[in-house]
Amino acid sequence: MRSRPWLLLLPGLLWLGAFFLLPLAIIAVVAVADRGAPVAWGFGWSAFGRLWDPLVVPVLWRSAWIAAAATLGCLAIGYPLSYFIVRRPKRSRRLWYFLVLIPLAANSLVLLYAWTTILRPAGLLENLAGRLGLLPEAGFGLLWSPPAIIIGLVYWYLPFMVYPVYASMERFDFRLLEAAADLGAGVRTSVVRVLWPQTLPGVVTGCLLVYMQTFCSFVVPDLLGGAKTLMVGNLIQQRFLSLPQDWPLGAALALAVVAALAVVVWISMRVQSRLEG
Amino acid sequence: MVPAVELTGVGKELGGQKVVRGVDLSIREGEFFSLLGPSGCGKTTTLRLIAGFETPDEGAIRIRGRGPGRRPAFAREVNLVFQNYALFPHMTVWANVAFGLEMERRPKEEIRREVEAILALVRLEGLEGRYPRQLSGGQQQRVALARALVTDPAVVLLDEPLGALDLKLRKDMQIELKALQRRTGVTFIYVTHDQEEALAMSDRIAVMHEGRVLQVGTPEEIYERPQTRFVAHFIGETNLLEGRLRPGGNGVVEVESDGLAFAVGGGGRSSGDEQVILTVRPEHLVVGRRLNGGLENRFAGEVVASAYHGSERMVHVRIGNGVVLRSRVPNGSAELPDPGDAVEVGWPAAAARLVSPD
Ligand SMILES: Nc1ncnc2c1ncn2[C@@H]1O[C@H](COP(=O)(O)OP(=O)(O)OP(=O)(O)O)[C@@H](O)[C@H]1O
Ligand SMILES: [Mg+2]
């Protein structure tokens, strides 16, 4: 009997086709259309020209740096957190893992709304700061600002940093830290020179997962950023759903994002293989 | 002279279990000192206590006369060669070895000189740029050694450093390690459960069992004059006989066991209690159809087994009380009895010793 190994690939290929390639093709067709909503089919590159519109470029730029800040935030919290969990005794480690991650993984809109009550003017945070005498005259003005989005994104996407970083730390041989200490290295030096380079593959994966998702996120900026601090996800959504509708521009934006993230993935894969090579 | 390492009454509990109990050791400067004992007897824990990774629950540890003070992990004076080397996998041989010197913030030029010198000493020249995974087991072993030696510590602790190597390489490395220790004059504390290794390499050995040190002595002392049943049994092979003490004449005591009397002249433990254990090494036992006179112990018996070991043969002889004694007979000696043969087995009183039942 002839074996047909490609048959095993079939479900995967179908899935990829139905949920990735097909939508992508539709988006591409819309992007070159003449006009959107109602759509006027045609072929032209004008939508891509509108990507350089002064209303669009700042949003792209903002998305890039907010996503970068959120990624750094996730790393700053997720790395020590993973370290903390992995250093628990084996028996309680899994419990800690669940305790720390379940509420985060179970993130919901409700929890995000809770953040608005914390961050809004005269909300929980400003109340607390006011009582401690730390509140400036004008308030923090956190809600409806990039910092609020970053806080929300870090909160929402932290598990995506912790999963891969924790996994790489679980594989780490902690006797290496003892060896470093034995040779006279302090805690900071052993972390920087031994633990960090050994867990870098997990860090790169985590950063990639978080960056890609935060870059395109539209729920968090919608709730915490308001109308003035759009991210690219909001912009795409608006061009499709709110006035003035411009489907080709929305589609062109979506394609640009996919292309940009593809470049990011490609670079990080290069970095990964360098790390493992 | 101040001992390089001194342990007084050191005890340690781990996981609710007393892993190290009342250990007293005094290790001299420049000594090759071994901790020998079966798996789980607390060797690694003792080493980790000396290295400063664990703190003793009881007792004190002094390195060159100084207690730990507030310094963590005895950082500078004691270096540990880990059981599986614990080399930094993302660093080259060079970076691994230079690590300790960099931690001491030595000048660049000095680091280069020291690393080169130590790599030459352990014969790793030309491999500086390799990563640990690109090295053989023996080479990794040498990197670990170089890394521990390069900062010129007072003491190097080695935890079964040859355990992962195959037999042939292990023998070679034993000789190399010993020579290296001689040349550098650094105090080595060497953990092993391989008694042959300990006997071949050490200046002195501490035999450990269930967290205690049973005996400390030179390899000869440990082998020829074991003080406890465990030491006699664990080091080399031996015959153990239990019996009652009976006073005998001219410096010889007699042990009576199941109607047979054994003469013991070599000394050893001779406290008041009646129940005693005597030990005699197989190489002191002679076996023959008729033995000449002059042996204080002489018994008729039957050969029950004879096992070939290359350079020698181990002959098992059952004597009158049903006890089976083992005798080591060099190959090439005139008569070699076969199983079933009626023989005589004997040994001089001076070859037998009394040991305590620990
Ligand atoms: N962290 C720990 N928690 C609880 N028990 C421990 C711990 N470390 C060691 N032990 C126990 O202490 C005893 C001595 O362990 P240790 O590692 O010192 O033995 P060892 O002589 O080095 O044995 P081996 O030759 O197998 O390496 C063992 O019974 C071990 O199970
Ligand atoms: Mg051990």
Side-chain angles (χ1 to χ4, degrees):
Chain A
M1 203 178 85
R2 258 184 63 195
S3 69
R4 298 194 182 121
W6 54 268
L7 271 179
L8 294 173
L9 287 176
L10 207 55
L13 289 175
L14 283 176
W15 193 90
L16 204 63
F19 294 104
F20 179 67
L21 293 177
L22 190 61
L24 201 62
I26 295 173
I27 292 287
V29 171
V30 172
V32 295
D34 286 341
R35 205 155 20 83
V39 74
W41 300 114
F43 186 86
W45 300 107
S46 67
F48 290 92
R50 289 199 292 284
L51 287 179
W52 310 111
D53 188 292
L55 286 175
V56 173
V57 173
V59 174
L60 283 173
W61 169 237
R62 186 186 297 132
S63 303
W65 76 258
I66 284 184
T71 305
L72 282 180
C74 284
L75 187 59
I77 297 174
Y79 198 81
L81 187 61
S82 307
Y83 181 82
F84 171 81
I85 299 172
V86 89
R87 286 332 293 270
R88 295 307 98 200
K90 221 181 184 102
R91 269 170 295 141
S92 54
R93 202 184 299 163
R94 189 156 299 188
L95 189 67
W96 273 105
Y97 191 62
F98 276 105
L99 280 181
V100 170
L101 290 185
I102 284 295
L104 299 174
N107 55 28
S108 69
L109 285 173
V110 179
L111 293 175
L112 216 51
Y113 276 118
W115 274 106
T116 64
T117 68
I118 294 172
L119 298 174
R120 72 158 180 254
L124 212 58
L125 189 67
E126 295 200 350
N127 243 317
L128 198 68
R131 237 169 258 181
L132 295 171
L134 296 171
L135 191 66
E137 202 61 30
F140 290 130
L142 269 177
L143 198 58
W144 325 126
S145 74
I149 302 180
I150 294 167
I151 290 172
L153 288 174
V154 168
Y155 175 75
W156 186 284
Y157 290 102
L158 186 59
F160 292 94
M161 183 63 78
V162 174
Y163 293 137
V165 171
Y166 174 82
S168 71
M169 282 189 187
E170 239 188 355
R171 262 177 285 132
F172 179 76
D173 177 2
F174 277 91
R175 279 174 324 148
L176 295 180
L177 289 189
E178 287 193 339
D182 190 49
L183 294 166
V187 175
R188 184 138 33 97
T189 314
S190 13
V191 167
V192 170
R193 295 208 38 191
V194 180
L195 180 65
W196 175 259
Q198 292 273 314
T199 49
L200 213 45
V203 169
V204 172
T205 306
C207 287
L208 191 66
L209 287 176
V210 172
Y211 191 82
M212 294 206 313
Q213 298 188 81
T214 52
F215 190 87
C216 318
S217 148
F218 61 91
V219 175
V220 176
D222 207 38
L223 284 173
L224 301 178
K228 277 187 302 183
T229 30
L230 295 182
M231 286 176 69
V232 66
N234 309 104
L235 199 57
I236 295 172
Q237 185 196 18
Q238 286 184 4
R239 291 293 71 79
F240 276 97
L241 300 179
S242 0
L243 294 171
Q245 281 179 322
D246 186 347
W247 286 16
L249 177 58
L253 265 173
L255 285 180
V257 168
V258 170
L261 292 181
V263 171
V264 172
V265 171
W266 183 76
I267 290 171
S268 70
M269 277 169 70
R270 289 289 301 264
V271 173
Q272 285 281 25
S273 68
R274 179 82 52 88
L275 287 177
E276 276 150 24
Chain B
M1 203 171 121
V2 183
V5 178
E6 193 172 27
L7 283 75
T8 39
V10 171
K12 180 70 186 177
E13 197 168 300
L14 283 176
Q17 187 195 349
K18 289 217 157 192
V19 174
V20 173
R21 322 185 215 196
V23 168
D24 295 310
L25 288 175
S26 178
I27 295 152
R28 296 176 200 131
E29 206 65 60
E31 195 169 26
F32 195 120
F33 191 93
S34 291
L35 293 174
L36 173 64
S39 186
C41 72
K43 305 181 295 288
T44 297
T45 308
T46 306
L47 218 55
R48 290 175 59 83
L49 283 163
I50 298 172
F53 290 130
E54 313 274 357
T55 44
D57 300 330
E58 306 159 4
I61 298 172
R62 298 181 156 272
I63 311 289
R64 285 186 168 160
R66 285 191 295 158
R70 294 172 58 200
R71 286 168 304 152
F74 293 79
R76 300 298 147 82
E77 286 169 299
V78 179
N79 283 346
L80 179 58
V81 175
F82 286 77
Q83 205 156 0
N84 288 308
Y85 317 144
L87 298 176
F88 305 124
H90 59 291
M91 296 186 198
T92 60
V93 168
W94 181 281
N96 264 282
V97 175
F99 191 85
L101 296 171
E102 283 169 10
M103 292 305 113
E104 293 182 355
R105 302 186 194 290
R106 305 260 196 109
K108 277 226 154 54
E109 179 55 28
E110 187 185 331
I111 293 180
R112 196 187 56 78
R113 231 180 320 117
E114 298 271 337
V115 173
E116 256 169 27
I118 203 80
L119 287 179
L121 191 66
V122 299
R123 300 192 289 113
L124 279 173
E125 304 107 315
L127 299 179
E128 296 87 352
R130 297 254 193 114
Y131 286 91
R133 64 175 176 281
Q134 300 169 320
L135 299 175
S136 73
Q139 289 166 339
Q140 289 180 22
Q141 168 60 55
R142 287 194 203 124
V143 177
L145 211 57
R147 189 176 69 173
L149 279 169
V150 75
T151 55
D152 196 20
V155 182
V156 172
L157 311 172
L158 302 100
D159 193 354
E160 310 218 12
L162 309 182
L165 307 180
D166 63 51
L167 189 64
K168 180 77 177 68
L169 187 57
R170 196 152 77 213
K171 298 269 181 212
D172 293 345
M173 285 298 292
Q174 282 177 11
I175 293 166
E176 209 173 305
L177 258 181
K178 177 73 187 173
L180 194 67
Q181 191 266 339
R182 273 278 142 75
R183 230 172 321 149
T184 56
V186 176
T187 311
F188 271 31
I189 303 182
Y190 189 94
V191 159
T192 179
H193 62 250
D194 181 340
Q195 40 111 358
E196 270 183 52
E197 196 168 285
L199 290 176
M201 298 172 79
S202 317
D203 295 321
R204 284 194 305 153
I205 299 170
V207 182
M208 288 188 72
H209 182 47
E210 292 177 346
R212 285 180 215 283
V213 171
L214 296 182
Q215 188 173 351
V216 180
T218 64
E220 290 81 4
E221 282 166 356
I222 295 282
Y223 185 81
E224 303 288 349
R225 295 192 287 286
Q227 283 163 5
T228 76
R229 169 211 192 91
F230 179 84
V231 175
H233 186 69
F234 187 70
I235 313 290
E237 287 194 65
T238 199
N239 296 292
L240 291 167
L241 293 158
E242 288 182 40
R244 284 175 176 289
L245 207 55
R246 220 169 58 181
N250 41 9
V252 173
V253 293
E254 281 193 348
V255 175
E256 188 192 306
S257 170
D258 295 326
L260 297 179
F262 302 94
V264 182
R269 215 195 54 120
S270 51
S271 65
D273 47 331
E274 299 228 296
Q275 281 292 332
V276 291
I277 298 162
L278 81 79
T279 166
V280 56
R281 298 281 184 198
E283 59 266 31
H284 294 305
L285 265 61
V286 283
V287 174
R289 242 168 273 281
R290 279 226 74 78
L291 294 181
N292 306 326
L295 293 175
E296 290 89 343
N297 295 289
R298 238 168 88 186
F299 304 95
E302 182 195 350
V303 175
V304 290
S306 172
Y308 180 68
H309 289 289
S311 62
E312 79 215 14
R313 199 170 262 283
M314 195 64 91
V315 181
H316 299 234
V317 181
R318 186 189 293 120
I319 56 173
N321 59 357
V323 169
V324 175
L325 298 173
R326 280 168 303 162
S327 166
R328 200 191 296 273
V329 182
N331 264 338
S333 54
E335 51 170 355
L336 277 173
D338 292 317
D341 286 358
V343 291
E344 278 190 333
V345 58
W347 63 92
R353 290 181 55 81
L354 295 180
V355 292
S356 78
D358 290 352

